[in-house]
Every structure is written in structure tokens, then in C-alpha cells.
Amino acid sequence: MKKGIGIGLLGLGVVGSGVAQVLLQKADFLERQAGSPLSLKRVLVRHPGKRRSLKIAPALLTTRAEDILQDPAVDIVVEVIGGESPAREYIREALQRGKSVVTANKEVMAKYGPELLSLAGEKGVFLHFEASVGGGIPLIAPFQRDIRANDIRGIHAIINGTCNYILTRMAREGAEFAEALKSAQELGYAEADPTNDIEGIDASYKLAILASLAFQMVVRPEDVYREGISRLALRDFKFARELGYAIRLLAIAKRDGDSVEVRVHPVLLPEDYLLAKVDGVFNAVQVEGDLFGKLLFYGQGAGALPTASAVVTDILAIAQKLRCAAPDSSRVSFDQQLRASSPWPRSGRATICG
Ligand code: HSE
């Protein structure tokens, strides 16, 4: 039985700072849950001298990824750098070296999830990615475990907090697009390059992950039809309101025979629909299954602490498994004979009802 779990943190941006804060400030509480201490060994940063609001011992900081990836005292590598490279290479190397990984990286999981999960399986370690979709909302674990008795019929989701925040402020306050985006960046919701948020790219990564799990097939980001919110103007919100609609960026996956249609685009939703009432940084994922009918997951989809909630919960889950040398009960398969399609025409500004 293992005593003490060593953690190496790659990245100390918005999410990384939230994770470090939780690990340091809730150490006793987490130790009771994990059954052994969770010890933050090293943190990879770009600028060690940078002023930070988080109080962290300077000796913990390093600019060399190998100080974490090659340290035998690190059991779990937490990747919160974001973006494809070097995050993908770091995750791969950590798994190769027999370390478990927790990542919040939707781009890497959407593009390389199946191969990384299979590498983790070969090496007998764990790869958890709860924070990659929906920030603080538990989605990956329920999709991997709790709803698997169902044939999933469809997913309708609001899974980009930045876009939902911008759309809400434009509709409610008449805020200009650029001003609302600037606030979303200041609040730590937006990606380093906000193009990924406003053009629906981030949502397409998250939809690819959810659809792959829901339909047990490989859905690639390029399979997803995608339109963002950058062409919406204040007059669109005025007309929508007059007609009794709210505008939301929806990510949709729908089973149709042996294919699954996947798309992300702005939608006009009747104001009394549940998804039309999801405001600000909140996300919501509505799933339809043959047994449970409709299920709704709702919560904060971005921000330091909601995302840290998902990351640290993943760390706890792995710590418990490492402590007891438990086998991985969350194996994922992607072998359903279904085809991903995105047959939607590239046309107007918003589609009624999805
Ligand atoms: N930029 C992302 C969003 C962060 O706004 O939803 C959480 O994945």
C-alpha cells in the first residue's frame, strides 16, 4: 500500500493556480479523503520570477519539464498548460514513464484521447480528464460509468463558458461583443487565444470528447460542423428577443441510424426552454437516453476554482486507486460501428431550436 502521493503540476496559469491553491489550502481535508498525503513536488512555469497572487514556495517552481517527468517521487502529473504542444508530448512521456496523468486539455483529448488512453492502459496507469469538458460539472465520469446502460440518442449542450457569458451580456445589457469578450478574458474564462472560444473550436473539441464517450466511437474535431458567435450583432439579439427567442451556442450530437451528426453553431431557442435559461459562464449538457429519457447536467463551465474542483477530484480518484493498487474500472471503448457526420449547410446566423 502506497504512503503519500507525489504530484507534479505542469502550468500555473488560471487553472494551475486554482489547483495549487486547493492542494495547498485543503491539504488535510484531501489527505483524509485520499487516505494518504497529496504532496505537491514541483510546478512547471515559464517565468519563475513573475508576481503571483498565489503564495507558493519559490523552490517548488521549475522551468524544466524533466524535473517533473523524470522525478521518481512524482506519481501523478497534472497537465494544465493547455494547447496541443508541448502538452501532448508531456502527457505521453509521463504515461510512458509509468506516471498517471490528470489533464484539463480538451484539444489534446479530442485529437489524441483514444491513443493516450490506450497507452495508459498498456502501462497500467491512469489518465483522467474530467476538467476537459464543462469545468466544474461532472461529465466524463458519468459518461464513462453512470449512464452506460443507455443507448444515447442525443446531446444538446452549452459547453463554452466564454461564449455563453458574451451572449448573455449582449442580450441582457446590450454590451458590445468586444467589451464582453474583454471581461471574459479578465475573469479567466477565455482561452489564451480567444479565437478558439468565439469560433466554436473549443466547443467542437469538447463535443468530440463527449460524443466519443456517449456513442463509444471515435469522433474527431474535424468531423464536427462548426460556426462561432463572432458574426452576431446586437440587432440579432433585439430581433430574437422580440420573437421570444434566446441565442445560445449549442453543441449537438444526434444519433441517426448508424451515423451520429455532430455540430456546433448559434441556435435560436424559445425563451422557456431550459437551455435558454442557462446564463453567463454556466454550462449545461442535456443528454437523451433510451432508459433515463432526458438528463441535465448544469454548473460553472470555466474559471479557476470550478475547474480545479474537477482536476483535484481526478487526483483524489487516482490517489485512491494507487494507494490500493486498484485496477482501472473506467476503461473506455470506442469500437461502435457508427459514422460521424456534419451534414448541416453553412449558411445563416442562427438556427431555430437545433
Ligand atoms: N475557455 C473555456 C470556456 C474554458 O470558456 O468554456 C473552459 O474549458
Side-chain angles (χ1 to χ4, degrees), residues 102-215:
V102 172
T103 179
N105 198 314
K106 48 260 169 150
E107 181 167 356
V108 168
M109 289 311 293
K111 292 180 178 171
Y112 309 105
E115 74 180 57
L116 292 171
L117 285 162
S118 113
L119 177 60
E122 273 166 37
K123 296 286 171 185
V125 292
F126 307 103
L127 170 58
H128 283 218
F129 50 105
E130 186 58 70
S132 63
V133 187
I137 313 172
L139 285 166
I140 304 300
F143 271 68
Q144 283 179 331
R145 199 191 54 196
D146 304 324
I147 62 174
R148 289 189 66 168
N150 287 263
D151 258 334
I152 303 300
R153 308 281 197 229
I155 299 171
H156 286 75
I158 293 172
I159 40 178
N160 183 271
T162 301
C163 286
N164 211 55
Y165 174 85
I166 293 172
L167 295 176
T168 306
R169 290 214 40 207
M170 289 178 82
R172 287 275 166 83
E173 299 161 32
E176 291 292 344
F177 183 88
E179 178 201 333
L181 172 58
K182 190 160 169 277
S183 312
Q185 288 174 298
E186 285 163 3
L187 288 162
Y189 301 155
E191 296 303 300
D193 177 0
T195 311
N196 275 13
D197 293 297
I198 62 179
E199 297 305 343
I201 299 166
D202 177 85
S204 71
Y205 293 150
K206 293 166 175 169
L207 182 65
I209 294 171
L210 285 186
S212 296
L213 294 174
F215 300 102

